[in-house]
Amino acid sequence: MLKKYDRSVRCKEGHVFTTIWVPLASLKAVRLGFKRYQHCPVGHHWSMIEQIDSSNATTDELARASEVHDVGIP
Ligand SMILES: [Zn+2]
């Protein structure tokens, strides 16, 4: 659906997943630039997450991030 807002992110514990990052909706979230506080679907905990891309993550991390999307988890 909102594919263009999908972003690969990494939590403080090192888990990687994909989440929807909508700039216009960010007023409702705790936001610190490219970091924010949200639920991690991999470790099932709340953590500070940051956006990752090829400049600050390995291709392996990006591949794993693409396999887990928080919207797909009930
Ligand atoms: Zn995590």
Side-chain angles (χ1 to χ4, degrees):
M1 36 182 210
L2 293 170
K3 265 296 181 188
K4 66 176 180 176
Y5 291 125
D6 280 1
R7 291 290 181 276
S8 295
V9 296
R10 177 170 52 210
C11 86
K12 213 174 62 175
E13 304 293 323
H15 301 129
V16 288
F17 56 99
T18 301
T19 193
I20 294 176
W21 198 296
V22 184
L24 294 177
S26 62
L27 290 176
K28 293 180 180 176
V30 178
R31 192 169 64 100
L32 300 167
F34 289 104
K35 296 183 180 182
R36 70 180 183 187
Y37 196 69
Q38 79 167 53
H39 186 257
C40 166
V42 179
H44 302 287
H45 62 109
W46 286 82
S47 180
M48 192 66 76
I49 63 167
E50 62 179 344
Q51 289 187 35
I52 57 174
D53 56 33
S54 54
S55 70
N56 63 359
T58 64
T59 52
D60 180 56
E61 280 182 307
L62 292 173
R64 278 187 289 132
S66 70
E67 291 172 0
V68 182
H69 198 302
D70 59 359
V71 171
I73 296 174

